Amino acid sequence: MQPAFTVDDATLLETDLTTCHLLVLVGRGALSYVVFDPAAGGKFLALKSYNFQPQKLAVADLEMIEQVFDADKLLFTAFRSVLLAFDTANSTLVPEKHYSPQLKKEYMHMAYPEKLQEVVLADILPPPLSVVNIYSADKDLLGFLRKEFSTDRVVHAHSALLQAYPYDFDFRNSEGIAYVAVQRNRFTLTIYSGGKLVNQQEQPYQTGLDVVYHLVNTLRLLSLDEQKVKVKLGGALTSDSLVYQELYKFIPRLEWVQRLPEFQYISKMQEIPGYYFHNLYALALCV
């Protein structure tokens, strides 16, 4: 299996990887990772992204991920630590003051039906967020990745995004701001008003108009004006994509989300639009 994206340079060979973190993002029909070196001023040294046809059964996705492991020997390097992030699961946010670890399954199943072979996990996000992200993952997939990487460090992709967005210069936009992180056939919408989180949800889509509909409808339900709210778009998209074109028709303040400014990136990464892997880079905030 060949990666869809490979980005690295000679510095990777010159670096002691035992001082680096491997940040792995598992999505529907995708596995991506970056090598992150905190000793080099917080620098990303390498990135790979694999795509395959999403499967209805998690066991089929697991078979594809096993093929990635067979093909990519860098994954077996002795890194300082490995962080696993899931973007494959249902998730729900609960205010930390109302959260009880013993009730995380109950919180989860109030929002989503129980699945076979699921394990329910929770990320307690640091202040000032004061929320807990509760999510489920496939038990076999989680077990395989934990065993292969010898790690118990697990987060949800949305937890990383929630920690990344406040670094954006427009985060406290007076008219509100909406971040749209687009993946294959789905997107995550995160909305802030006055710097406070008011909504995060994941929605499926088939056309660009689906994204517009969900975005505009959610903004109006929150009493925000889509003509004034700033919308920042991230994902493996281009200005020619149908999602961008439809949003451009209806959203006057549409921009691309940018790379996190507090980190460093090798020159080849800077040649790729920063919004392509914003959710992957954000995992460095969870190390």
Side-chain angles (χ1 to χ4, degrees):
M1 178 175 289
Q2 297 298 316
F5 284 92
T6 300
V7 187
D8 60 25
D9 61 18
T11 60
L12 186 65
L13 298 175
E14 300 166 356
T15 302
D16 178 6
L17 296 182
T18 61
T19 67
C20 297
H21 301 286
L22 182 68
L23 313 177
V24 183
L25 179 62
V26 181
R28 294 180 179 91
L31 185 147
S32 304
Y33 68 80
V34 285
V35 177
F36 176 66
D37 186 2
K43 189 172 186 178
F44 294 101
L45 304 180
L47 180 154
K48 282 190 182 180
S49 181
Y50 295 86
N51 295 320
F52 43 89
Q53 188 62 36
Q55 305 294 321
K56 291 183 178 180
L57 298 177
V59 66
D61 268 349
L62 176 54
E63 291 174 356
M64 300 302 294
I65 290 173
E66 288 175 337
Q67 291 184 32
V68 172
F69 274 78
D70 289 339
D72 194 336
K73 301 309 177 186
L74 182 62
L75 293 173
F76 295 99
T77 301
F79 291 98
R80 176 179 173 183
S81 75
V82 178
L83 177 69
L84 303 175
F86 283 90
D87 200 11
T88 60
N90 295 327
S91 69
T92 186
L93 296 176
V94 175
E96 187 174 5
K97 64 181 179 180
H98 297 309
Y99 173 68
S100 172
Q102 295 79 13
L103 298 176
K104 62 183 178 182
K105 289 186 178 180
E106 284 74 8
Y107 291 123
M108 188 73 208
H109 298 143
M110 286 179 63
Y112 301 99
E114 186 173 358
K115 293 181 178 180
L116 294 174
Q117 287 294 102
E118 76 169 2
V119 57
V120 178
L121 305 168
D123 298 336
I124 300 176
L125 301 181
L129 289 167
S130 299
V131 295
V132 179
N133 186 12
I134 303 171
Y135 56 100
S136 65
D138 179 76
K139 186 177 181 180
D140 289 339
L141 179 57
L142 175 62
F144 170 80
L145 292 170
R146 276 178 163 167
K147 180 180 178 182
E148 293 296 325
F149 286 118
S150 299
T151 185
D152 287 323
R153 305 187 66 198
V154 180
V155 299
H156 193 272
H158 294 178
S159 300
L161 289 176
L162 287 170
Q163 293 179 71
Y165 290 143
Y167 287 91
D168 179 24
F169 296 121
D170 294 316
F171 171 68
R172 297 186 182 278
N173 183 53
S174 60
E175 300 292 347
I177 188 162
Y179 298 94
V180 182
V182 178
Q183 306 297 328
R184 184 187 295 179
N185 299 323
R186 62 194 176 85
F187 68 98
T188 302
L189 175 61
T190 310
I191 301 173
Y192 296 87
S193 179
K196 294 183 178 181
L197 176 67
V198 292
N199 184 273
Q200 186 180 64
Q201 59 179 276
E202 182 176 293
Q203 294 285 351
Y205 77 92
Q206 294 182 337
T207 70
L209 279 174
D210 292 338
V211 180
V212 173
Y213 171 80
H214 286 299
L215 171 62
V216 171
N217 184 55
T218 303
L219 289 173
R220 291 180 179 179
L221 287 173
L222 295 170
S223 300
L224 295 172
D225 186 346
E226 72 273 12
Q227 298 298 306
K228 297 180 180 178
V229 168
K230 183 166 285 191
V231 176
K232 295 204 171 183
L233 184 62
L237 301 168
T238 68
S239 56
D240 296 329
S241 69
L242 294 178
V243 170
Y244 181 87
Q245 290 295 325
E246 293 295 347
L247 284 169
Y248 185 78
K249 292 178 185 177
F250 295 95
I251 305 297
R253 304 187 69 189
L254 178 65
E255 299 179 8
W256 296 107
V257 70
Q258 299 300 310
R259 292 184 190 86
L260 287 162
E262 68 275 22
F263 298 125
Q264 299 182 52
Y265 307 81
I266 61 173
S267 58
K268 289 184 179 179
M269 284 180 183
Q270 296 177 33
E271 296 171 4
I272 299 174
Y275 50 84
Y276 263 45
F277 295 105
H278 185 270
N279 56 345
L280 183 57
Y281 296 136
L283 297 180
L285 297 171
C286 301
V287 171

